[in-house]
Amino acid sequence: MQDRVLKVLEFTKVREQLLAHATSTLGQGKIKQLIPSTDFEEVVRLQAETDESATVLRIKGNVPLSGIYDIRAHIKRSVIGGVLSPHELVQVASTIHASRKMKRFIEEIAEERTEIPILMEQVERIIPLTNLEQTIKMAIDESGEVLDSASQLLRTLRQQLRSNEAKVREKLESMIRSSNAQKMLSDAIVTIRNDRFVIPVKQEYRSHYGGIIHDQSASGQTLFIEPQVIVQLNNQLQDIRVKEQVEIERILTELSSNTAEHEAELQIIVEILTNLDFIFAKARYGRQIKASMPLMNNDGRIALYKARHPLIPSDEVVANDIMLGKDYTTIVITGPNTGGKTVTLKTLGLCSLMAQAGLQVPAYDGSELAVFNSIYADIGDEQSIEQSLSTFSSHMVNIVDILENVGFNSLVLFDELGAGTDPQEGAALAISILDEVHKRGARVIATTHYPELKAYGYNREGVLNASVEFDVESLSPTYKLLLGVPGRSNAFEISKRLGLSERVIQSARSHVSEDTNQIDKMIASLEDSKRQAEVEQQEARDYLRQAEKLHQEMQKQMQEFYENKDSMLEKAAEKAEKIIDEAKSEAESVIRDLRKMRIEKHADIKEHELIDAKRRLEAATPEITKSAKQISKKSKKPTLMSGDEIKVLTFDQKGTLLERVSDSEWQVQIGIMKMKVKEKDMEYIGAPKQVETRPMAIVKGRDNDVKLELDLRGERYEAALSRVEKYIDDALLSNYPRVSIIHGKGTGALRQGVQEYLRNHRSVKKIRFGEAGEGGSGVTIVEFK
């Protein structure tokens, strides 16, 4: 990409904004070198890594990238034998620590089943240099001071140093507390000059203390003297300090040598942390401008939905849809000055550059952009005073360069094509230039004032007219792009709104050709139709959203209904079971009484006693009352078959039976919805035409009922197979064409054993796993011959 294009389309400003989102000079350095790529595979990878980092930010909110330093110079100096300073070694340890934190952070997110393969590939290359980090931290604190714990000798020397300093201070403090000190000293303090302890003595008493003069005040009235009595003690302190410095130098040399030994690992750490800082800076910037990842293609297709210019404040920018490269490859935009034509060009150009640089673009999800080999832009007044070029000449120099290099996989943006010269000649040149670029297969957007170009889109295949909307009422542009509608002059309307006489306006209209008037009327009609279509489209979207909402609410209510219905049935069954248990208990009591009477009275039981016992037995039998309507329906209800038309009583809707789910429930198609419905909630309407019906097998008797499914979950292997064998025999006796065996998923041992038995059974025609609505691989469906 040309540097001039990056500047004209303001990619350099985006890069400057991106800098603020990097956390280290390493990331900032990479951002400063950022340019769009022209390699399709690389752009796809760059977009994928930005999307992964955006996902991490969405999940975690932030990333632990603090404490990163550019230690490349430190590493290089340690390798050639240089001794690193304490601050440089602290930066090395801090960078190692940051790499360990980042590696652990990314791995923890990946363990949470978040797909971030590119970030994982980055951190997998990091080798945690924990030993080197701990060695440096044990020797040097965060402020760059070498610690006593760095070596045993250093600890001993510093203890001696503190002990001797205490002796010197004690000796000097006794001197300044003496009776003569107030008269001879300028101030009763102990201070340091040239790393030696001294006291401030007045000029006239210099000989009283003897010793060495190290400094004097600005006025010369005070001398900073090291008294003779502490010279030897100060000498001893100085000797210990020299030994301390020698030991510190040895420690730093050893740490620098350890750093040099890990040069390769440290270089990899710096490289990866640079990449990660850069990647997450892109994601943070995308979050700031509310951007999304565009779909990239290599076919020149552009589809930006509600695209915004990222450098215009969000409360001022107008979002536009921009489509190019599918049904048409050239767009000619006409409209008034300051109407937003140039912003539209820059929005498309800048979004393309951002996408090819791996940045997300300020547009809705699902937007699509192409990877171009080159992007050209002739935008703005680039008049050069030094070269004595006019505006027209300056534009023409750029256009000549574009025509020399443009190809099929190019995006070309022309602003005010042909402007700056005679209108007739300028329009002719503009048409010729557009024809040439369009013929080469490039994607082109051009803006112009020339009315001759309004008809350009109608005379060329693959060319579309467009305009920017202007509100005549407010005398201001709306900055809204209207694809398929050419721009028109608003001079008469604006003049009228500003108070120009109607007579003058009518006179002006008479000087305009009839063709021009017809074109303006046609454009006005197109604009009205466009606005009306957009309003109707929005209304249709609103209706669709309302319908979807109602559909969801209806499904939710149906689900709640069936859940409550099942719960009520369960409660009723429990209550019935309780009544039956009570009846059984009462019956047993009656039988016990009869036996007791027979024994006690030697079978001599009176008739009234038998009648009373019979009455108690009859009273113990629970009564289940049914409405006449239910009895009538049950008696008249025919055998149901797949395809029968029925009425679902709960919703008062007609439906079609699809298949039996259980012995009391069917799957029913009602309109576009499928649902499970109990048989008692149906009313039979009629059978489908030319459908052969056959009676359903019914096994009577409570003790002989055979269900259409066998639940083996929780059973042991041998007991489960025994149950399967008996169940298959019962199902065959009941003439069932198909049954279900629920074995669950688990380890798969029970499922394998059940299916092995069924495959070898002579009466089994076919077995298969259940579908999504039947239980999936946790259920085996068995069909009999």
Side-chain angles (χ1 to χ4, degrees):
M1 299 293 173
Q2 299 175 345
D3 290 338
R4 187 188 66 80
V5 172
L6 299 182
K7 184 177 179 181
V8 167
L9 293 177
E10 301 178 294
F11 181 78
T12 52
K13 292 183 180 179
V14 168
R15 203 160 50 191
E16 289 171 6
Q17 289 187 346
L18 185 59
L19 282 172
H21 296 277
T23 58
S24 69
T25 56
L26 291 168
Q28 290 174 347
K30 187 159 186 177
I31 290 171
K32 290 175 182 177
Q33 299 172 1
L34 177 64
I35 58 171
S37 171
T38 57
D39 181 81
F40 178 73
E41 297 297 332
E42 182 182 9
V43 171
V44 170
R45 184 185 61 79
L46 291 172
Q47 284 293 338
E49 71 182 18
T50 306
D51 186 56
E52 284 186 16
S53 57
T55 300
V56 171
L57 287 179
R58 189 166 57 251
I59 295 172
K60 295 295 183 180
N62 212 335
V63 186
L65 277 169
S66 58
I68 301 173
Y69 296 93
D70 186 357
I71 59 172
R72 290 173 294 186
H74 310 343
I75 300 169
K76 185 176 181 181
R77 197 147 52 82
S78 69
V79 170
I80 62 176
V83 178
L84 302 182
S85 70
H87 285 288
E88 291 171 337
L89 287 167
V90 167
Q91 290 180 355
V92 171
S94 177
T95 303
I96 294 172
H97 181 67
S99 71
R100 287 198 305 108
K101 281 196 306 181
M102 197 64 195
K103 181 180 178 71
R104 185 168 61 250
F105 176 79
I106 295 297
E107 288 175 345
E108 287 175 355
I109 295 175
E111 288 173 1
E112 296 171 1
R113 298 183 179 179
T114 303
E115 294 294 328
I116 45 173
I118 297 176
L119 295 178
M120 276 298 297
E121 180 185 354
Q122 290 282 330
V123 298
E124 282 173 354
R125 295 172 54 208
I126 294 177
I127 301 173
L129 300 177
T130 310
N131 290 338
L132 178 58
E133 177 193 347
Q134 295 302 323
T135 302
I136 294 174
K137 287 185 175 180
M138 288 178 63
I140 307 171
D141 65 16
E142 292 182 355
S143 62
E145 292 293 328
V146 179
L147 300 170
D148 294 356
S149 58
S151 74
Q152 184 60 43
L153 177 58
L154 184 62
R155 179 182 285 107
T156 302
L157 289 172
R158 286 185 172 172
Q159 288 174 351
Q160 294 175 359
L161 194 62
R162 285 190 287 270
S163 176
N164 285 10
E165 284 181 351
K167 291 178 182 178
V168 172
R169 284 184 177 277
E170 184 180 355
K171 187 72 174 174
L172 289 175
E173 285 175 356
S174 67
M175 293 175 67
I176 65 177
R177 285 197 300 268
S178 67
S179 57
N180 295 327
Q182 187 174 3
K183 179 178 66 173
M184 291 185 289
L185 299 179
S186 299
D187 199 355
I189 62 169
V190 177
T191 185
I192 297 174
R193 290 293 187 276
N194 301 324
D195 291 331
R196 300 176 78 89
F197 288 96
V198 296
I199 55 176
V201 181
K202 294 179 181 178
Q203 175 72 26
E204 57 267 28
Y205 298 106
R206 60 185 297 180
S207 60
H208 178 77
Y209 291 98
I212 303 169
I213 300 172
H214 287 279
D215 199 2
Q216 67 177 9
S217 65
S219 64
Q221 297 300 311
T222 300
L223 302 176
F224 294 93
I225 297 176
E226 178 186 356
Q228 187 63 41
V229 293
I230 67 163
V231 169
Q232 185 60 32
L233 290 174
N234 267 335
N235 286 343
Q236 291 175 0
L237 278 174
Q238 197 64 23
D239 183 53
I240 295 172
R241 288 194 183 102
V242 170
K243 291 179 180 178
E244 178 193 25
Q245 286 303 121
V246 171
E247 179 62 12
I248 289 173
E249 191 71 16
R250 186 195 67 78
I251 292 168
L252 295 178
T253 301
E254 184 178 340
L255 292 174
S256 299
S257 177
N258 290 345
T259 302
E261 290 175 3
H262 296 90
E263 176 199 7
E265 296 94 329
L266 288 170
Q267 292 287 8
I268 291 173
I269 285 173
V270 171
E271 175 195 344
I272 292 170
L273 289 179
T274 301
N275 291 339
L276 291 175
D277 192 13
F278 169 67
I279 291 170
F280 280 100
K282 293 191 295 180
R284 289 193 194 96
Y285 180 64
R287 183 168 63 176
Q288 177 191 321
I289 63 174
K290 298 179 181 178
S292 65
M293 184 184 77
L295 304 174
M296 304 305 300
N297 67 78
N298 212 15
D299 304 319
R301 292 193 314 276
I302 294 172
L304 288 174
Y305 303 106
K306 300 301 178 185
R308 295 165 280 111
H309 196 289
L311 302 179
I312 299 177
S314 58
D315 58 341
E316 298 177 12
V317 69
V318 175
N320 277 307
D321 295 342
I322 305 175
M323 311 293 173
L324 185 66
K326 186 178 180 181
D327 299 324
Y328 45 87
T329 59
T330 300
I331 298 176
V332 178
I333 305 176
T334 52
N337 284 330
T338 70
K341 300 192 302 297
T342 304
V343 172
T344 300
L345 290 186
K346 288 189 173 182
T347 299
L348 173 58
L350 186 53
C351 284
S352 295
L353 292 174
M354 290 172 65
Q356 292 185 218
L359 296 170
Q360 296 184 339
V361 298
Y364 281 5
D365 285 337
S367 293
E368 190 173 5
L369 283 167
V371 177
F372 293 106
N373 289 338
S374 53
I375 297 177
Y376 301 101
D378 179 51
I379 298 175
D381 186 1
E382 300 179 25
Q383 182 172 345
S384 173
I385 298 175
E386 291 81 2
Q387 298 178 6
S388 300
L389 295 176
S390 67
T391 301
F392 176 77
S393 301
S394 176
H395 283 294
M396 196 50 60
V397 168
N398 294 333
I399 292 170
V400 169
D401 179 63
I402 291 171
L403 292 178
E404 288 177 352
N405 298 284
V406 71
F408 174 79
N409 199 18
S410 299
L411 174 65
V412 184
L413 306 172
F414 290 122
D415 188 29
E416 300 300 341
L417 184 60
T421 186
D422 177 77
Q424 189 173 359
E425 294 181 355
L429 272 174
I431 292 172
S432 178
I433 292 167
L434 283 176
D435 280 342
E436 179 65 22
V437 179
H438 178 67
K439 184 171 63 177
R440 297 191 190 182
R443 275 43 178 176
V444 187
I445 297 186
T447 68
T448 182
H449 278 303
Y450 295 131
E452 290 85 351
L453 287 173
K454 293 180 182 179
Y456 184 81
Y458 296 107
N459 301 329
R460 308 293 195 285
E461 185 178 353
V463 180
L464 183 74
N465 278 320
S467 61
V468 285
E469 193 177 50
F470 187 87
D471 188 352
V472 179
E473 295 298 321
S474 62
L475 301 181
S476 61
T478 65
Y479 303 106
K480 189 173 183 180
L481 182 66
L482 302 175
L483 293 174
V485 180
R488 64 191 182 97
S489 173
N490 295 292
F492 294 151
E493 288 80 357
I494 294 172
S495 300
K496 184 177 180 179
R497 293 282 300 172
L498 293 176
L500 187 63
S501 168
E502 182 66 28
R503 181 176 54 79
V504 176
I505 293 174
Q506 289 299 328
S507 176
R509 289 185 189 277
S510 66
H511 295 295
V512 177
S513 67
E514 184 62 27
D515 290 342
T516 302
N517 284 325
Q518 290 296 327
I519 290 174
D520 281 346
K521 289 178 182 178
M522 178 193 70
I523 294 172
S525 176
L526 282 173
E527 288 179 351
D528 291 340
S529 300
K530 179 87 172 178
R531 279 192 290 269
Q532 183 64 29
E534 288 177 349
V535 170
E536 292 175 355
Q537 184 184 32
Q538 187 60 44
E539 289 177 352
R541 287 175 179 169
D542 292 341
Y543 284 131
L544 178 61
R545 280 195 293 269
Q546 291 175 9
E548 290 174 347
K549 184 178 179 181
L550 289 172
H551 178 66
Q552 292 172 357
E553 289 177 355
M554 183 178 177
Q555 285 187 321
K556 183 180 178 182
Q557 290 174 2
M558 290 170 62
Q559 184 177 358
E560 290 176 354
F561 168 77
Y562 279 111
E563 288 176 355
N564 294 334
K565 189 176 181 182
D566 291 341
S567 176
M568 291 172 65
L569 288 173
E570 287 177 6
K571 290 180 181 178
E574 290 174 0
K575 187 175 180 180
E577 187 177 356
K578 183 178 179 182
I579 293 171
I580 291 170
D581 289 341
E582 291 175 354
K584 286 181 179 180
S585 178
E586 181 66 21
E588 289 173 359
S589 175
V590 171
I591 292 170
R592 280 196 302 272
D593 289 347
L594 286 172
R595 287 174 179 169
K596 183 178 178 182
M597 285 188 291
R598 185 182 65 182
I599 293 169
E600 290 177 353
K601 299 185 179 183
H602 305 288
D604 186 17
I605 301 173
K606 302 296 183 182
E607 185 66 25
H608 71 277
E609 293 174 336
L610 288 172
I611 294 170
D612 183 57
K614 185 178 180 182
R615 182 182 55 78
R616 289 173 60 196
L617 280 172
E618 289 174 351
T621 305
E623 293 184 5
I624 301 175
T625 59
K626 296 184 178 180
S627 66
K629 184 177 180 181
Q630 288 178 317
I631 296 171
S632 174
K633 284 185 179 178
K634 186 173 180 182
S635 62
K636 294 181 181 179
K637 184 176 180 180
T639 301
L640 297 175
M641 297 291 293
S642 297
D644 286 352
E645 293 184 7
I646 53 95
K647 181 178 182 181
V648 180
L649 300 176
T650 305
F651 302 105
D652 194 23
Q653 294 288 330
K654 291 184 179 179
T656 304
L657 296 181
L658 298 179
E659 62 176 343
R660 180 180 289 278
V661 178
S662 66
D663 53 356
S664 63
E665 197 173 27
W666 284 79
Q667 188 175 34
V668 179
Q669 177 91 35
I670 302 177
I672 62 171
M673 294 186 295
K674 295 181 181 179
M675 64 181 69
K676 294 179 182 178
V677 181
K678 302 286 186 182
E679 279 192 8
K680 60 185 178 182
D681 196 27
M682 302 178 190
E683 181 180 336
Y684 179 78
I685 295 178
K689 294 181 180 180
Q690 297 181 351
V691 174
E692 183 181 351
T693 61
R694 59 185 180 86
M696 233 176 71
I698 301 175
V699 180
K700 298 182 179 179
R702 186 182 62 191
D703 295 334
N704 296 324
D705 286 345
V706 180
K707 294 184 179 180
L708 287 171
E709 62 182 22
L710 174 65
D711 193 346
L712 299 176
R713 290 175 293 186
E715 293 278 352
R716 297 181 64 85
Y717 184 85
E718 293 77 12
L721 290 183
S722 178
R723 286 190 64 193
V724 170
E725 183 176 359
K726 183 179 182 305
Y727 176 73
I728 293 298
D729 292 339
D730 292 341
L732 289 168
L733 289 173
S734 300
N735 289 327
Y736 287 167
R738 183 180 69 176
V739 293
S740 302
I741 299 179
I742 305 172
H743 42 63
K745 298 177 182 177
T747 61
L750 180 57
R751 175 182 61 197
Q752 186 176 353
V754 169
Q755 292 189 349
E756 186 65 25
Y757 170 79
L758 294 172
R759 288 192 187 95
N760 297 324
H761 198 287
R762 63 180 183 276
S763 298
V764 174
K765 176 182 178 182
K766 176 183 176 184
I767 64 171
R768 63 175 176 84
F769 283 124
E771 297 178 353
E774 296 174 327
S777 59
V779 175
T780 295
I781 308 299
V782 186
E783 293 182 13
F784 298 115
K785 294 180 181 177

